[in-house]
Amino acid sequence: MRVFIVSIFLAIGVLCKQNTLAQGIIFQELTLQQAMAKAADPAAPKLIFVDCYTSWCGPCIEMAKQEFPKKVSGDFFNPKFVSVKFDIEKGEGIEIGKKYDVKMFPTFLILNAKGEEINRVVGKAVAEEFIEKVKVALNPNNSLAGLKAAYEKEKNMTTALPYAKALLDNARDPSPVLSEVFDKAQDYERFSGDYLQMALEATDFGSPFFRKLMLDKRRIDQAIGTEVTNRIIFDKVRKHMYLIANETGARYNVFYTPQQVEDIAYTISLLKMEPTPELHMCRVALYVVNKDIDGMIDYYKRYIANMPDNDVFKGILDGILSTKISKVTDAQKAAIKEYFQLEKRNFDRQARYSQAQLDNLSK
């Protein structure tokens, strides 16, 4: 009898586990062609849901482990979709990424049985919110094609903003649309916060549209705030200037001429941002791109040496200078050595001051 009862409990446990595992989205191990064939079954026609992920994408992993296994996800997707997933950096996923121009992760494609894209959802969200995004994406009027058609029919801010946002969400450049509507819209529309923030974030630094916007920077500052505007502008070049300063731009297909770097350094200096260690990077990049090691060393002695030693960004700047040692003359190497000796004296002075404070507290 005891064995019988134990067996019943074990069976119940197995059934519960199977039921739990079956609650979420059922991703089938199919090729895309097989998924299309299954979705085209006249007895049970479905759409195709494609999870495009990479092994290093944190949000992709969160969706797979936390959101898709939920019952609410399975209840919505399983009756309507043939669900498949592909690592976009491996196997068939590479071709799928190219075919559908997948550039952001995670990207979730919604396809018809012919493999034609209906729409896509980009980025992570909790299950309930993600489902709502998919419902919106399923509306033909919200597809990229539908939004484009609406904009082409009537080019105004009402149709431009949703279309531009969809382009941005799909890793496509919305600046041509935003630039065109800027020329057509009334001032109260083109200097609205929603439009300006999207336009500034979308346009490339130094592009014709960027320059067009900068002619009205005063009004942009009034609309979204000077600090917000300046931060958006600086963020456009911050990472690139680090790559140029570190001479690793080619590895990431980032190239700037000396004149372009000078334009960037000049523009950033005119923003009158609150001083931060990051702002030194544009000047350092300018010295590097001009191969002016002497000027760079003098700049470090004047400004970087006085930065607090516990500042993480100072370590980054010092690291950049250290990478130049193998490429400099003996005189320049001696100057770099002098810079680090100056740093050491500053550090020793700070250490003595801190020790004096500790000694006073111990009395």
Side-chain angles (χ1 to χ4, degrees), residues 241-242 244-246 261 265 277 279-290 292 296 299-300 304 313 317 320-321 324:
M241 290 303 97
Y242 168 75
I244 296 301
N246 212 33
V261 176
L279 291 177
H280 290 293
M281 193 59 73
C282 294
R283 292 289 296 275
V284 172
L286 183 57
Y287 284 119
V288 171
V289 78
N290 282 321
D292 182 6
M296 181 178 176
Y299 185 85
Y300 268 67
I304 311 304
F313 205 78
L317 289 166
I320 290 172
L321 182 60
K324 314 306 177 192

Side-chain angles (χ1 to χ4, degrees), residues 46-254:
K46 293 184 177 183
L47 297 173
I48 303 169
F49 177 70
V50 185
D51 177 359
C52 301
Y53 70 95
T54 68
S55 59
W56 47 263
C57 167
C60 302
I61 296 170
E62 288 181 40
M63 293 297 291
K65 291 188 174 181
Q66 298 176 17
E67 306 305 328
F68 291 158
K70 292 180 178 177
K71 183 176 185 301
V72 67
S73 297
D75 289 346
F76 176 78
F77 282 92
N78 294 337
K80 301 178 179 66
F81 294 90
V82 175
S83 298
V84 290
K85 56 170 58 180
F86 296 95
D87 185 331
I88 299 303
E89 296 181 333
K90 297 178 181 178
E92 186 182 359
I94 297 173
E95 290 305 313
I96 289 173
K98 291 178 181 178
K99 178 178 179 180
Y100 294 101
D101 195 25
V102 176
K103 295 179 180 177
M104 300 177 67
F105 303 101
T107 288
F108 306 98
L109 302 174
I110 301 172
L111 312 178
N112 61 22
K114 296 179 180 179
E116 298 167 337
E117 182 177 344
I118 296 173
N119 212 334
R120 66 177 64 189
V121 176
V122 178
K124 70 172 184 176
V126 296
E128 293 78 5
E129 181 185 348
F130 185 74
I131 289 168
E132 291 306 312
K133 288 185 176 183
V134 172
K135 287 179 180 177
V136 170
L138 288 171
N139 183 336
N141 293 331
N142 295 324
S143 68
L144 199 57
L147 293 169
K148 180 181 180 180
Y151 175 69
E152 292 294 342
K153 182 178 180 181
E154 191 171 357
K155 294 184 177 182
N156 55 39
M157 198 64 75
T158 302
T159 58
L161 284 180
Y163 179 36
K165 185 179 184 304
L167 288 168
L168 200 60
D169 288 344
N170 285 273
R172 298 174 187 176
D173 182 13
S175 56
V177 173
L178 293 168
S179 179
E180 184 177 38
V181 78
F182 183 85
D183 294 333
K184 297 177 179 294
Q186 298 295 317
D187 275 5
Y188 76 89
E189 295 177 307
R190 62 182 188 166
F191 292 111
S192 66
D194 289 344
Y195 169 80
L196 287 173
Q197 190 134 354
M198 186 185 299
L200 268 180
E201 290 176 350
T203 185
D204 291 333
F205 190 100
S207 68
F209 184 37
F210 176 83
R211 293 177 181 276
K212 184 190 298 183
L213 290 172
M214 288 300 97
L215 290 174
D216 287 298
K217 185 176 184 299
R218 179 184 60 82
R219 299 190 66 172
I220 297 174
D221 290 344
Q222 291 173 343
I224 64 177
T226 302
E227 186 176 343
V228 173
T229 303
N230 289 350
R231 175 50 60 176
I232 293 173
I233 294 170
F234 181 56
D235 281 347
K236 290 179 178 299
V237 297
R238 178 169 51 86
K239 291 180 180 179
H240 283 186
M241 290 303 97
Y242 168 75
L243 295 175
I244 296 301
N246 212 33
E247 298 183 276
T248 54
R251 188 185 307 169
Y252 301 94
N253 201 31
V254 172

Side-chain angles (χ1 to χ4, degrees), residues 4-18:
F4 176 71
I5 293 173
V6 171
S7 299
I8 290 175
F9 276 111
L10 286 173
I12 291 172
V14 171
L15 288 172
C16 288
K17 183 177 181 181
Q18 289 177 341

